Amino acid sequence: LARALPGAALAQALQGPATQTANIEIFATSPYEPQPELVSHNGLHATHRMGQIALRGNSSVDLLLRFVSDSQWRPLLVGPWFFTVFNLDSVGLGIAGFQRFFLSEASEVSGEVG
């Protein structure tokens, strides 16, 4: 995985049925300002099955995620999946192209569709 965007790949990020493993390609479609001391941690943390993208405070980035097959790197249609965000530190988050969202009861984040 490249440690800085605009393009990166998380190999074998989604584990499906025995014959279906997917990689996730991530592209920054706007300027990406990394948090310098954390950018080396960008990538897939296999132990926790979690990806990380470090973003400089008070900045924003638009990301495009694309699922591709592990064997041929061709676009892949996947079923329902979850996207979780940690450590927002009082900043906003906008996500497009989703059907519904869930927040824990203890969440300090609010959300709306539309």
Side-chain angles (χ1 to χ4, degrees), residues 9-53:
L10 302 176
Q12 299 180 349
L14 289 179
Q15 302 291 323
T19 60
Q20 190 72 18
T21 302
N23 303 320
I24 301 175
E25 293 181 323
I26 303 169
F27 301 95
T29 59
S30 65
Y32 166 61
E33 297 179 47
Q35 185 67 31
E37 64 273 14
L38 298 176
V39 73
S40 65
H41 298 286
N42 281 359
L44 180 64
H45 300 273
T47 305
H48 303 292
R49 303 295 308 155
M50 178 178 80
Q52 177 175 325
I53 299 173

Side-chain angles (χ1 to χ4, degrees), residues 60-82:
S60 65
V61 65
D62 295 326
L63 299 174
L64 173 68
L65 281 68
R66 183 171 79 159
F67 298 96
V68 294
S69 68
D70 184 42
S71 59
Q72 298 178 357
W73 287 85
R74 294 203 172 144
L76 182 67
L77 181 62
V78 298
W81 61 284
F82 293 93

Side-chain angles (χ1 to χ4, degrees), residues 13 42 49 68 102-104 113-114:
N42 281 359
R49 303 295 308 155
V68 294
F102 304 92
L103 298 172
S104 70
V113 177

